[in-house]
Structures are given as C-alpha cells and as structure tokens.
C-alpha cells in the first residue's frame, strides 16, 4: 500500500449555517439539476456518490422538522390547557406552530465541507504501481465518514463525495437535534461542541486526519487574537509614556470563502476588463501601425522622387536624355495612363524651352546666311551681265548647280516659319 508521507498539506474544513428552506436548492445542486454548474465536469457526474443518508434524506429532514413544529405546538397547547391559561391558549391557537429553533442569521442547520488541495490526491501513486491498498481518495473518504459519525452521530443526516469538480471533496449536512427540559424538540447548533467552537472543530479534524499525512490548517483566529492582544499592549505602553513601547504587528488578512459561482463571476468581470483593455490596445496598435505604414509609403515615395531627380539631372547633364513634354491633352485627361513623373515633366518642359530657343537662334542664323547668299547671288547676276558670253555661260552653269540645295533650304525656312506662325503664343514659348 502506498502510504501518504508526512507533508505540509492541510486538511480543509469549512462549516457554514443553513436554513431548512435551503434543502430543496441544496438537493437541486447535488443532482446538478439547477443553479450554476459551470465548474462541474459533466462526464464525471455519474461518479458522485452518497456516503451517509438515504436517497430521500432532504424530504425526510423537512418532514421531521415539520413534525417538530406541530408536536411542539400541540405540547404548548396541552401545557396551556393544563395551566388554564385561556388567553395565552387563544393566542397560541391563532398564531399556529412556530419554528423549532431560535432565529439567527446563520440558520439552525450546518453544512460541512471536507477537502484537501488537489495536488495531494494527484500525487497518489497507488494505482500507478498497481498496489492493492486503498488510494488517498479512499483513505480520505473513510476518515471523513468516521469523523462525521463519531462527532455528530445520527445528526449527520447526509454526506456525499463530489468527484466532478476540481478537487475531491465531501459535503455533509448536520441537523442538531435537542430536547428541552419541558419536552420540546428543537434544533440547537450549540448542542455539538464542534459547532459551538469553530477552533475546536479545526483541532479535531486536524488530529483525525493526521494519520493519513494531513495536518491542521493555519491558526488564523489564534494569530488574530494574539496580534490584537500585542497591539493593545503596545498602545497602552505608548499612552503611559513607556520608553520603548514596541511596534504593532500587522493583523492576518481575513480569508472569506467565495462560492464557485461568485468566483467565476469575478473572473468573468476581470477577463471582460482585460479583453476590453486588449481590444483598445489592439485598436491603438492598428492605428499606429496604419500611420507608420503611411509614413513608410510617404518616405519611400519621397526617396523615389529624390532618386528620380538625381537620375534625370545626371542624365540631362550628360546629354543622354530625350524628354518630351506632356502636351497631349487626351493623355492628361486619362490619369490612369499618365505615368510621367513630375520631375520628368519639369525637366521635359525645361528642355523643350531650351530646344525651342535653340531652334529660333538657328533659324535666325540660317536666315542671315541665306540672306547673304541671296545677296551674293544677286551680286553674281549683276557681275554676269558685264562678262563675255563664254564666261557668262560658265557662271550660269555653276549657279544652276547651286540652285537645287538653295531651293531646298528656302523650302525648309519657309515651312519652319509657317509652323511658327500657326502656333499660339503659349505654344511658341
């Protein structure tokens, strides 16, 4: 058998008040038929088992409490008749049966929960090694049943083991029955010493489970009492003017049990807040990413434009670029086919102006030279008139050989002059 070694795992015992009206809701939760079952594993519900009490324990407990009410009422009426308290008897008849317990905010019943940290059960190697001895779960269950029956006897009307939640644990319901001196059957939690003193209950359960390697939980109440006592002495010494009154110590933090439903609600709220913060961060990140992408595109475009300026400027300086200005109105209107960069257009217009100016200067020089040639030709004609026939004939032949290129040059000048005249003032510049 795999024995449980001595560890630092504490036995957890929680005890809380319960009203008879809560029995129906308790049963619904036990049968997983209502309420919040988000923390339960539906595939393991069939493994939950009853340890103490009958299947109809809740109905039996409710019926017993109702019997107490009516039996106490009948006993009260009988005593009043015997004592001839007519007015009180009349009032008791009108009032009807009363609850067989003293009204408290906790309720007359007690629910007890016994468990250990999940790791203690997970570290059990009995089944892993194929040993035949009881597992830790079985040992814990046996000790829990013995502790409940030893300390509460028949007043423990129900106990069950839940295996479909995070850690194995045992629920138990205590109906503290008592009979008063006048014969009334009542529910009195204080009839059990372990209910009357929570510290004694923790001591008892710690000693009971010590044999399987568990220990009592932290003594928070005792630590709180000692801290309060110490701090009170320090304050009194300080008020009396003591030289070294000492320092106060921090009080232990109060630990309160939170139901799985409330815990999951708080977790849902926290997760919802986190999701909201994450979504806001994602939106901010997406916006910044988009802005960064726009900046990168702008920088890239400017780099391309700068490189284009440098490339075109270098090409123009070397005289190996022939850029034509964009004068096609149709191409301007169709923007999707206009791929000419602003830099290329600018350089193209500058080159066009330079070329136009060079053409004008070339035409002007050519006109001057042609005028001089015409003047020389006219002078030759005048000279030819004074020459003999033979010389005049030779001069006419020479002049005839020059007429063809002179006529071609005249036509070019005429056509260029005509083209320059047909353009508008903006086109000429």
């Amino acid at each position: 058998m795999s024995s449980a070694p001595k560890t630092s795992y504490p036995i957890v015992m929680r005890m809380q008040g319960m009203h008879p009206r809560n029995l129906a809701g308790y049963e619904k939760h036990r049968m997983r038929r209502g309420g919040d079952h988000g923390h339960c594993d539906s595939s393991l519900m069939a493994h939950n088992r009853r340890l103490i009490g009958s299947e109809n324990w809740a109905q039996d407990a409710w019926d017993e409490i109702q019997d107490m009410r009516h039996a106490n009422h009948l006993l009260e009426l009988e005593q009043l008749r015997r004592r001839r308290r007519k007015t009180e008897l009349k009032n008791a008849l009108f009032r009807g049966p009363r609850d067989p317990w003293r009204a408290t905010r906790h309720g007359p019943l007690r629910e007890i929960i016994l468990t250990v940290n999940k790791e203690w059960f997970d570290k059990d190697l009995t089944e892993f090694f194929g040993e035949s001895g009881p597992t830790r779960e079985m040992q814990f269950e046996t000790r829990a049943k013995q502790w409940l029956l030893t300390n509460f006897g028949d007043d423990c009307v129900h106990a069950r083991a839940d295996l479909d939640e995070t850690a194995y644990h045992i629920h138990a319901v205590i109906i503290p029955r008592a009979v008063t001196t006048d014969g009334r059957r009542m529910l009195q939690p204080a009839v059990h010493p372990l209910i009357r003193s929570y510290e004694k209950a923790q001591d008892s359960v710690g000693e009971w489970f010590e044999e399987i390697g568990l220990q009592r939980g932290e003594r928070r109440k005792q630590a709180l009492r000692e801290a309060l006592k110490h701090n009170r002495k320090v304050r009194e010494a300080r008020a009396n003017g003591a030289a070294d009154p000492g320092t106060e110590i921090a009080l232990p933090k109060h630990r309160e049990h939170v139901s799985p439903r409330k815990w999951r609600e708080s977790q849902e709220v926290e997760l919802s807040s986190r999701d909201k913060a994450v979504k806001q961060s994602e939106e901010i990140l997406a916006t910044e990413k988009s802005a960064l992408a726009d900046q990168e595109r702008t920088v890239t475009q400017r780099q391309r434009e700068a490189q284009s300026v440098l490339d075109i400027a270098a090409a123009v300086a070397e005289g190996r670029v022939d850029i034509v200005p964009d004068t096609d109105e149709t191409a301007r209107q169709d923007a999707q086919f206009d791929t000419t960069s602003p830099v290329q257009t600018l350089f193209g217009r500058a080159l066009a102006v330079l070329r136009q100016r060079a053409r004008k200067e070339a035409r002007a020089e050519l006109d001057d030279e042609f005028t001089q040639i015409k003047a020389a030709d006219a002078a030759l004609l005048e000279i030819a008139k004074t020459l003999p026939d033979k010389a005049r004939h030779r001069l006419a032949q020479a002049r005839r050989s020059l007429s063809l290129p002179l006529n071609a040059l005249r036509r070019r000048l005429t056509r260029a002059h005509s083209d320059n005249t047909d353009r508008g003032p903006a086109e000429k510049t």
Side-chain angles (χ1 to χ4, degrees):
M1 180 182 72
S2 175
S3 61
K6 297 293 183 180
T7 66
S8 59
Y9 291 100
I11 172 69
V12 178
M13 192 279 294
R14 183 168 58 85
M15 187 183 300
Q16 62 182 14
M18 183 177 181
H19 282 275
R21 62 176 179 270
N22 301 134
L23 291 173
Y26 182 94
E27 274 296 271
K28 285 184 178 181
H29 179 73
R30 181 180 73 87
M31 303 299 293
R32 307 297 190 248
R33 292 176 180 171
D36 182 14
H37 303 142
H39 60 293
C40 301
D41 187 349
S42 58
S43 63
L44 299 176
M45 287 183 183
H47 297 281
N48 296 344
R49 51 182 175 269
R50 206 170 62 253
L51 305 180
I52 298 175
S54 65
E55 178 67 23
N56 299 321
W57 72 272
Q59 185 63 51
D60 295 339
W62 177 262
D63 293 341
E64 181 181 356
I65 294 173
Q66 298 308 311
D67 290 342
M68 288 182 180
R69 287 166 51 89
H70 295 291
N72 291 343
H73 190 229
L74 292 176
L75 179 61
E76 181 184 10
L77 296 179
E78 180 63 25
Q79 291 176 347
L80 291 174
R81 287 193 188 97
R82 190 182 309 118
R83 296 164 59 187
R84 297 182 180 181
R85 300 290 183 87
K86 295 182 180 180
T87 302
E88 295 180 11
L89 176 61
K90 183 178 179 180
N91 292 335
L93 287 171
F94 180 78
R95 184 191 65 239
R98 289 186 290 191
D99 292 333
W101 66 83
R102 183 175 297 176
T104 62
R105 66 185 181 91
H106 298 292
L109 311 183
R110 289 296 181 270
E111 179 188 8
I112 296 176
I113 298 177
L114 296 170
T115 187
V116 189
N117 190 289
K118 182 177 180 295
E119 291 183 358
W120 186 78
F121 294 108
D122 293 341
K123 289 181 179 181
D124 185 12
L125 302 178
T126 302
E127 294 182 353
F128 179 78
F129 289 114
E131 299 178 1
S132 59
T135 62
R136 287 186 175 181
E137 187 176 294
M138 297 170 62
Q139 295 179 55
F140 182 84
E141 185 174 300
T142 301
R143 299 297 297 177
K145 289 177 62 177
Q146 293 174 352
W147 182 78
L148 289 169
L149 294 175
T150 300
N151 291 280
F152 302 102
D154 294 338
D155 285 352
C156 180
V157 296
H158 167 75
R160 77 174 193 272
D162 282 351
L163 291 84
D164 59 346
E165 299 184 33
T166 303
Y168 174 91
H169 60 280
I170 292 176
H171 288 265
V173 176
I174 309 299
I175 295 183
R177 305 179 180 94
V179 179
T180 62
T181 55
D182 58 358
R184 288 177 298 157
R185 297 163 58 194
M186 300 292 289
L187 300 179
Q188 294 181 356
V191 72
H192 292 289
L194 299 188
I195 297 179
R196 189 165 57 247
S197 174
Y198 193 72
E199 289 291 315
K200 288 184 178 180
Q202 294 290 352
D203 293 338
S204 173
V205 78
E207 295 174 0
W208 196 270
F209 285 87
E210 187 177 5
E211 294 185 6
I212 60 174
L214 300 177
Q215 63 181 14
R216 187 194 190 283
E218 185 179 354
R219 298 179 181 271
R220 293 183 176 274
K221 291 291 184 180
Q222 182 178 349
L224 178 61
R225 288 193 296 268
E226 292 177 354
L228 291 174
K229 183 178 179 180
H230 172 78
N231 293 343
R232 184 168 58 253
K233 289 182 178 180
V234 170
R235 288 192 294 269
E236 290 176 355
R238 189 180 297 124
N240 295 331
D244 185 13
T247 58
E248 298 184 13
I249 60 177
L251 300 180
K253 291 184 178 180
H254 175 67
R255 295 183 64 181
E256 182 178 358
H257 172 74
V258 179
S259 66
R261 177 181 61 82
K262 291 183 178 179
W263 182 83
R264 282 193 303 279
E265 288 178 355
S266 64
Q267 292 297 108
E268 288 293 335
V269 172
E270 183 178 355
L271 291 175
S272 177
S273 301
R274 289 183 182 179
D275 290 342
K276 185 177 181 180
V278 169
K279 288 181 179 178
Q280 291 178 349
S281 300
E282 290 177 349
E283 291 176 356
I284 294 173
L285 183 60
T287 303
E288 292 178 350
K289 187 177 180 180
S290 177
L292 181 60
D294 293 340
Q295 292 178 0
E296 289 179 350
R297 284 193 294 268
T298 302
V299 170
T300 302
Q301 181 65 25
R302 290 180 179 177
Q303 288 177 345
R304 291 176 179 174
E305 292 177 357
Q307 188 62 40
S308 177
V309 170
L310 294 175
D311 293 342
I312 295 176
V316 171
E318 295 176 2
R320 54 183 177 86
V321 176
D322 186 14
I323 304 176
V324 179
D326 185 9
T327 57
D328 189 353
E329 295 295 334
T330 304
R332 291 180 188 172
Q333 295 175 0
D334 194 357
Q336 62 179 344
F337 295 106
D338 185 9
T339 59
T340 305
S341 67
V343 177
Q344 189 174 359
T345 303
L346 180 62
F347 274 96
R349 291 177 179 175
L351 289 176
V353 171
L354 294 175
R355 287 174 177 172
Q356 186 70 19
R357 188 177 299 170
R359 290 193 187 98
K360 289 182 177 179
E361 293 176 355
R363 291 193 192 100
E365 293 178 359
L366 191 59
D367 286 339
D368 292 341
E369 294 177 355
F370 189 72
T371 302
Q372 294 176 8
I373 292 173
K374 288 175 64 177
D377 184 57
L380 288 175
L381 289 176
E382 293 297 328
I383 294 172
K385 294 178 180 179
T386 62
L387 294 176
D389 293 339
K390 186 176 182 180
R392 189 187 307 154
H393 179 69
R394 290 175 60 188
L395 183 59
Q397 289 181 346
R399 184 173 178 273
R400 195 177 296 115
S401 63
L402 295 174
S403 62
L404 185 59
L406 288 174
N407 290 332
L409 182 59
R410 183 185 297 109
R411 286 195 298 271
R412 287 181 60 188
L413 290 173
T414 303
R415 186 166 57 252
H417 180 72
S418 176
D419 292 341
N420 192 34
T421 305
D422 293 338
R423 293 185 200 162
E427 291 178 337
K428 290 180 183 180
T429 57

